Amino acid sequence: NAGVMQNPRHLVRRRGQEARLRCSPMKGHSHVYWYRQLPEEGLKFMVYLQKENIIDESGMPKERFSAEFPKEGPSILRIQQVVRGDSAAYFCASSNGNEKLFFGSGTQLSVL
Amino acid sequence: DQQVKQNSPSLSVQEGRISILNCDYTNSMFDYFLWYKKYPAEGPTFLISISSIKDKNEDGRFTVFLNKSAKHLSLHIVPSQPGDSAVYFCAAIVNNQGGKLIFGQGTELSVKP
């Protein structure tokens, strides 16, 4: 009965380092979404992936951010050369293609 | 450009009374709306949804009302319980944009015993 699994729950990085956030979708789901929540704000869409394909990346910053969802293994959100402004909660969600998204518990990224 | 707005950051209600959470939107292309509930340090949990072809959807203590002409929806919780205390997010979607939910800023509901 595994839901959407994200790890790590907390990630601390120094400025300039790389951050890798992992997400395993709910069993049977092949659609993965990444959202970011900055302090005192709602969740903002970043990217939508379906096995090996990026469907919509309109919410991704143009530089330093990338996402993948390989045929085998979890989806990865990668942030290169992190800056303090990247500190946020990053949530992954999955679905079977309809509008009802199931969210993971998030990864809290702190950049020192 | 905030397309989905929850203008009340917080709401306090007595246990047993009705909680009404409001949400306004600007994009007339939205055709599906959802409410999510979020506890601290957890991800949002789906609560209830409504299609734009309806004006009401009910599930137990939770009812969502949609007023398309006013571009307004509301979530009613009755009776409210202390366990309902959480942050509630309204979200909207344009059907041909997959799971690209547009979220409001959230309303923190506190239900007092």
Side-chain angles (χ1 to χ4, degrees), chain A residues 14-19 64 79-84 86:
Chain A
R14 296 192 180 280
R15 282 179 295 170
Q17 291 184 319
E18 178 179 286
R64 303 187 296 107
I79 312 172
Q80 295 178 290
Q81 298 175 319
V82 295
V83 300
R84 289 223 173 101
D86 297 333

Side-chain angles (χ1 to χ4, degrees), chain B residues 69-88:
Chain B
S69 60
K71 293 191 176 68
H72 177 84
L73 66 156
S74 61
L75 174 68
H76 293 212
I77 307 172
V78 56
S80 302
Q81 300 173 355
D84 296 329
S85 298
V87 178
Y88 289 78

Side-chain angles (χ1 to χ4, degrees), chain A residues 40-90:
Chain A
E40 309 301 324
E41 294 187 14
L43 284 76
K44 303 284 189 207
F45 170 81
M46 299 181 75
V47 62
Y48 164 29
L49 309 105
Q50 190 180 1
K51 278 296 183 182
E52 300 185 274
N53 294 306
I54 296 175
I55 307 300
D56 183 340
E57 58 180 348
S58 58
M60 287 278 270
K62 294 288 184 274
E63 298 177 348
R64 303 187 296 107
F65 284 72
S66 62
E68 63 177 11
F69 188 18
K71 188 176 181 180
E72 301 291 336
S75 175
I76 305 287
L77 179 67
R78 182 184 180 205
I79 312 172
Q80 295 178 290
Q81 298 175 319
V82 295
V83 300
R84 289 223 173 101
D86 297 333
S87 296
Y90 291 82

Side-chain angles (χ1 to χ4, degrees), chain B residues 56-68:
Chain B
K56 177 182 175 182
N57 188 26
E58 191 172 351
D59 184 1
R61 297 185 297 114
F62 303 92
T63 303
V64 56
F65 295 93
L66 175 62
N67 183 334
K68 284 179 62 180

Side-chain angles (χ1 to χ4, degrees), chain A residues 9 33 35 58 99 101 103-104, chain B residues 36 41 43-44 95 99-101 103:
Chain A
R9 288 296 305 270
Y33 314 84
Y35 285 78
S58 58
E99 299 87 356
L101 271 58
F103 283 83
Chain B
Y36 279 82
N95 197 36
K100 186 177 178 180
L101 301 180
F103 281 88

Side-chain angles (χ1 to χ4, degrees), chain A residues 85-105:
Chain A
D86 297 333
S87 296
Y90 291 82
F91 291 97
C92 171
S94 73
S95 79
N96 59 8
N98 63 20
E99 299 87 356
K100 192 182 292 186
L101 271 58
F102 293 84
F103 283 83
S105 297

